Amino acid sequence: MENTDGSIAIFGENHDILPYSIHLEPQLKLMHCKVPLPVRIVVLPDEKPQLLTVFIPDGPSYSYSYSYRFDLGSYSGQTPDSSVVYALPFITSNDSIVPKRADKLYIYNFLLPKYTPILAARGGIVAAVKFGQKNTRTINSNLIYVYHDDGTHACYENLDPEKSNAIVKVGQRVKVGETIGYFGENKKNPYFWFSVEYPAATNSETIPVTFLMGNRLVRPN
């Protein structure tokens, strides 16, 4: 929005129930901003637009553009406490079912029987229930996000859309061990995926997870 003094006000809106962090990267010509750029801004839930920043002209032939991305949670500049212990997101008596890191990120996969009940590994608020989404690992990335009190969120991925669709809804608070869905094994993606993420300086990053398996603590390498 252009103000009467010629400055450009940039607003953001968050109609969700949880905070989001926006990474705003402007390209300014003959303009400046009072905060260092690019900038990470927390947008709290609110029905009204929230002022993010203002671009101020330095001359008559100014121009601007910007790109942005948003991530679930409030950016604090701090790395979350990785000593938090998570329950296994399913019940098993098979000690051979152990988490394995899928790649350089802290994303863990489990080889489970189809329709295994998926449980909340930590209590929190259901932030998203998505079915039929695409990502780099699967064609149909059916997933649920659960937001935790420390600003992190867990991603439960590759769920069965028919059996999982009506179990939980966005905004619902779930307890650790509560059923939130069912594993949806298929030929193209035989694994259940689990990760914990938080809003870092420019995007959402995964953190290492310690699982409680029986009376043992396991942190996969």
Side-chain angles (χ1 to χ4, degrees), residues 54-184:
V54 177
F55 304 152
I56 303 170
D58 296 322
S61 300
Y62 67 85
S63 64
Y64 70 94
S65 63
Y66 58 86
S67 59
Y68 68 92
R69 62 165 290 143
F70 56 88
D71 300 289
L72 177 62
S74 297
Y75 171 68
S76 66
Q78 304 293 321
T79 302
D81 182 4
S82 61
S83 67
V84 174
V85 176
Y86 288 77
L88 275 181
F90 51 86
I91 296 175
T92 180
S93 58
N94 187 349
D95 289 339
S96 66
I97 298 180
V98 295
K100 298 179 181 179
R101 279 182 63 179
D103 47 34
K104 293 181 180 180
L105 303 176
Y106 294 102
I107 300 173
Y108 306 96
N109 61 43
F110 301 84
L111 193 59
L112 302 176
K114 191 172 184 178
Y115 300 143
T116 296
I118 300 302
L119 316 177
R122 182 179 175 186
I125 298 173
V126 177
V129 178
K130 300 181 180 181
F131 295 103
Q133 303 292 311
K134 293 183 178 181
N135 70 7
T136 57
R137 293 186 298 282
T138 64
I139 293 178
N140 292 311
S141 177
N142 303 311
L143 54 84
I144 290 174
Y145 289 161
V146 175
Y147 183 78
H148 309 135
D149 291 340
D150 63 355
T152 62
H153 67 274
C155 178
Y156 303 78
E157 189 175 332
N158 199 12
L159 305 178
D160 182 83
E162 293 183 2
K163 291 180 69 68
S164 304
N165 192 32
I167 295 179
V168 295
K169 59 183 179 180
V170 173
Q172 178 179 338
R173 181 168 284 276
V174 295
K175 298 178 180 179
V176 61
E178 184 174 342
T179 299
I180 60 173
Y182 291 86
F183 173 54

